[in-house]
Amino acid sequence: MHKNNMNLAIVDDHPMVLEGLKSLLQQNEMFQIFSFTKGAAVLDFILENRIDVLLLDIVLKGGNGLDFCKIIKKQSPNTLILAVSNQAERSIILRFLENGGSGYILKNADAKEIMQCIQDAINGKLALCKDVQEIMAKPSLINYEIPRITKRELQILKAVSEGQTSAEIADKLFISVITVETHRRNLMQKFQAKNMIELVKIATDNKLI
């Protein structure tokens, strides 16, 4: 890798983020910088040009950064791809790294930390900003005993994951709305979930639904 003359590309559909990253990186003379608002534009660019380092947002209007990471690594295995994202969920970070990412930076990281992460990736290290390191260090629920749930609770969990309301679930299972709400509360307690979205995520992660 040509450390003195590296092509660095940024993909983000927020102009302010794009400009902020560009002005930060332009201070470093070893980078020639390219910026894109769509993942598809990078895919076209990489067919004709070398990209050494790619800073990729996860949530893009024209697609998903997790998918783009996988596709770009297939097209250009030597490109180092770092996520620069607001998505701080452990499962998303893991998926990005599994798809070939070399690092993960949260958008609240300061300039010094962003530069350090890029340098770490160039030096062949896994580049995680401090907050991401803390998220990854926390044990996931998979390390815990999975709570035992009844057949009825499983039915309700599945229905909730399909987006059904308490009234719709009550109709379907021939029980009262109050009973459904009680089951939902019990499930949240069992899984120590803050809300139903988190509950469904935990249940999915543990392959219960």
Side-chain angles (χ1 to χ4, degrees):
M1 202 173 273
H2 326 265
K3 288 201 176 183
N4 298 328
N5 176 24
M6 299 181 79
N7 288 346
L8 184 144
I10 308 164
V11 187
D12 199 301
D13 52 16
H14 297 92
M16 278 177 70
V17 176
L18 214 49
E19 288 310 312
L21 284 170
K22 266 166 74 176
S23 62
L24 164 67
L25 293 161
Q26 271 158 355
Q27 295 163 26
N28 190 320
E29 288 176 0
M30 74 187 214
F31 297 128
Q32 187 176 358
I33 296 160
F34 303 88
S35 60
F36 305 90
T37 54
K38 291 189 174 72
V42 174
L43 294 178
D44 290 342
F45 182 83
I46 217 164
L47 290 171
E48 306 285 330
N49 306 273
R50 188 187 84 237
I51 295 180
D52 298 303
V53 180
L54 175 64
L55 302 183
L56 179 64
D57 194 4
I58 296 291
V59 180
L60 294 159
K61 287 189 190 99
N64 180 321
L66 295 169
D67 298 334
F68 283 126
C69 179
K70 206 172 190 175
I71 297 162
I72 291 162
K73 283 304 276 188
K74 269 189 185 148
Q75 277 190 14
S76 176
N78 295 329
T79 298
L80 300 171
I81 307 176
L82 284 84
V84 180
S85 176
N86 285 322
Q87 302 290 311
E89 282 180 52
R90 184 194 177 96
S91 59
I92 290 175
I93 297 165
L94 276 170
R95 269 187 63 201
F96 185 79
L97 299 175
E98 280 164 8
N99 286 359
S102 297
Y104 203 103
I105 306 165
L106 292 182
K107 284 185 180 174
N108 62 1
D110 61 26
K112 192 178 164 195
E113 200 172 11
I114 291 169
M115 291 308 293
Q116 185 58 55
C117 283
I118 293 169
Q119 200 53 59
D120 284 348
I122 292 166
N123 294 337
K125 295 180 194 165
L126 182 63
L128 305 176
C129 72
K130 195 166 90 279
D131 285 354
V132 169
Q133 286 175 28
E134 283 173 17
I135 293 163
M136 299 311 282
K138 282 181 193 160
S140 73
L141 198 90
I142 294 159
N143 298 336
Y144 305 148
E145 185 101 3
I146 296 167
R148 289 179 74 83
I149 61 172
T150 64
K151 200 172 161 188
R152 176 65 89 205
E153 283 173 338
L154 184 60
Q155 285 176 316
I156 286 168
L157 198 49
K158 279 183 177 160
V160 168
S161 74
E162 288 159 9
Q164 293 176 30
T165 64
S166 290
E168 286 168 338
I169 298 167
D171 270 358
K172 194 170 106 180
L173 300 177
F174 305 107
I175 53 178
S176 72
V177 172
I178 293 166
T179 305
V180 175
E181 290 294 340
T182 306
H183 281 308
R184 285 169 78 135
R185 264 201 311 278
N186 290 344
L187 281 162
M188 277 167 67
Q189 223 168 354
K190 276 186 180 182
F191 286 91
Q192 297 171 352
K194 290 191 287 290
N195 52 43
M196 293 313 289
I197 294 166
E198 192 181 0
L199 174 66
V200 168
K201 189 186 165 304
I202 292 167
T204 309
D205 285 351
N206 287 288
K207 302 192 167 48
L208 290 174
I209 50 176

